[in-house]
């Protein structure tokens, strides 16, 4: 006899104590995820791509890309696909072919750690500057590296305050600087201006490294030519996420480092691989999924996906504003920022919230029907107009309701 668990947290221990009806457990998880999907508009994961072929063909075997993506041999691996992914992302970022290196990571956090580790090894005395709107993985990385850091103010719309950066760099001009710019902050999807950051460093004669944490916006901005790692831009490294815009159904990402900014790794005798990556064993399935997402859509397909998602975000701003709920977005963004809705609406729609500000993210796969249902829920929450909060954040870049 098998028992059918109800899957509350209290039952977690029961779930691994046989006999367990595994099918019931898996069905339950899938049902819960399916039920949440219709109102899941707060997390930046695309839901429009079908990866079932890769999962069916490769999902039942260990694919271990241990070592450097350039290594050959060893256990079953997908390093050839990983190299294809790295080359594609480097190409859309206009990285020079002879000055690039990268690998498929477990996500944005590992990408940031890998890039900042390389930068810190080259500039051990550097101060690491990042804005108050940077992702929480940045202060965590600073702590892991044992580095000294400086938090730079962020403007109300989420972008770095360059005057404050300049003031902080001026005080510490005798040390090199590692500056982390964000391309797509977590709350407003703001993009820090790497040209202005470079100008601050140049103006103060400070050497160092510019890293871009582009977990969300890296791929879509690169496809539009708005983010480049060529010689002119002065960006030394970038981390992008694979489970956000590219919709890969397992957490992953890509880190890219201008090769001359990287310190090479040691050869490991027993695996016969080069130790250049943060983790040893690495997920070859993730590399295959990323490759599949890229190979089946190509540059133009992904540009179209980004453009459709931005059109939907503009529609959401329009509908929310028309319903009396003041929303806005940066022109490039999938993210729509709005005053935090009443609790039941916020919970039902799984909104990301920071105090009086929330956002929805119109990732590829989110539909007009979902936006209409969300706006309808806000309206029927029947908040008297005088109680509707005013937006805390006022973008300097795009006050319009339409965007593009
Ligand atoms: C700007 C930014 N950086 C880093 C990360 C971390 O990515 P991960 O959760 O894949 O480690 C995120 C994830 O939301 C992010 O938005």
């Amino acid at each position: 006899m098998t028992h059918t668990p109800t899957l509350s947290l209290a039952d977690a221990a029961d779930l691994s104590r046989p006999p367990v009806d595994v099918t019931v457990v898996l069905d339950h998880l899938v049902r819960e995820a399916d039920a949440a999907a219709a109102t899941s508009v707060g997390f930046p994961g695309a839901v429009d791509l079908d990866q079932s072929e890769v999962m069916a063909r490769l999902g039942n075997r260990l694919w271990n890309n241990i070592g450097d993506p350039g290594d050959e041999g060893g256990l079953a691996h997908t390093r050839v696909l990983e190299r294809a992914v790295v080359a594609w992302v480097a190409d859309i970022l206009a990285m020079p072919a002879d000055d690039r290196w990268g690998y498929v990571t477990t996500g944005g956090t590992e990408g940031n750690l890998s890039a900042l580790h390389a930068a810190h090894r080259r500039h051990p005395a550097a101060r690491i500057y990042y804005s108050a709107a940077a992702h929480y993985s940045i202060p965590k990385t600073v702590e892991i590296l044992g580095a000294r850091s400086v938090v730079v103010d962020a403007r109300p719309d989420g972008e770095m305050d360059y005057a404050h950066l300049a003031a902080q760099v001026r005080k510490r001009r005798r040390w090199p600087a590692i500056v982390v710019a964000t391309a797509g902050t977590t709350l407003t999807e703001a993009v820090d201006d790497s040209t202005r950051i470079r100008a601050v460093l140049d103006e103060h004669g400070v050497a160092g490294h510019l890293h871009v944490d582009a977990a969300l916006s890296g791929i879509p901005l690169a496809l539009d030519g708005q983010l480049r790692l060529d010689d002119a831009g002065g960006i030394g490294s970038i981390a992008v996420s694979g489970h956000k815009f590219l919709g890969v159904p397992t957490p992953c990402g890509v880190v890219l480092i201008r090769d001359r900014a990287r310190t090479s790794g040691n050869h490991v005798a027993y695996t016969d691989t080069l130790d250049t990556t943060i983790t040893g064993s690495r997920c070859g399935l993730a590399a295959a999924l990323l490759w599949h997402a890229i190979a089946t859509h190509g540059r133009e397909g992904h540009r179209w996906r980004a453009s459709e998602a931005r059109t939907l975000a503009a529609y959401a701003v329009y509908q929310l504003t028309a319903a009396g709920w003041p929303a806005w977005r940066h022109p490039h963004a999938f993210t729509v920022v709005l005053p935090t809705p009443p609790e039941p609406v916020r919970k039902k729609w799984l909104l990301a919230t920071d105090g009086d500000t929330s956002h929805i993210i119109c990732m590829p796969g989110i539909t007009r029907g979902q936006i209409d249902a969300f706006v309808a829920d806000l309206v029927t929450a029947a908040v008297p107009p005088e109680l509707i909060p005013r937006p805390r954040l006022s973008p300097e870049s795009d006050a319009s309701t339409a965007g593009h």
Side-chain angles (χ1 to χ4, degrees), residues 43-44 106-110 112 135-137 182-186 213-216 241 243-244 251-252:
F43 180 78
T106 51
T109 299
E110 185 185 341
N112 289 331
H135 185 260
Y136 63 84
S137 59
T182 308
T185 59
T186 46
D213 174 4
L216 171 57
S241 174
H243 52 282
K244 294 193 170 82
C252 63

Side-chain angles (χ1 to χ4, degrees), residues 134-226:
H135 185 260
Y136 63 84
S137 59
I138 303 301
K140 186 162 56 182
T141 297
V142 166
E143 190 190 338
I144 292 169
L145 296 175
R148 303 277 287 270
S149 65
V150 182
V151 181
V152 177
D153 289 348
R155 300 188 326 211
D157 67 358
E159 193 172 335
M160 183 180 279
D161 178 337
Y162 308 104
H164 192 239
L165 172 69
Q168 297 303 312
V169 169
R170 192 172 307 123
K171 282 193 223 163
R172 300 168 179 84
R173 57 200 310 169
R174 63 180 176 283
W175 293 291
I178 296 170
V179 184
V180 180
T182 308
T185 59
T186 46
L187 190 61
T188 69
E189 207 179 323
V191 176
D192 295 334
D193 186 338
S194 53
T195 307
R196 292 184 70 176
I197 293 172
R198 262 286 154 209
V200 167
L201 298 185
D202 292 347
E203 190 188 319
H204 294 87
V206 170
H209 182 96
L210 175 52
H211 170 68
V212 182
D213 174 4
L216 171 57
S217 306
I219 302 282
L221 289 180
L223 288 166
D224 285 349
Q226 292 181 53

Side-chain angles (χ1 to χ4, degrees), residues 281-304:
S281 293
R282 300 187 303 104
C283 183
L285 182 61
L289 290 162
L290 273 165
W291 164 78
H292 184 265
I294 288 167
T296 50
H297 289 75
R299 247 183 220 231
E300 284 315 308
H302 288 299
R303 274 171 63 97
W304 181 83

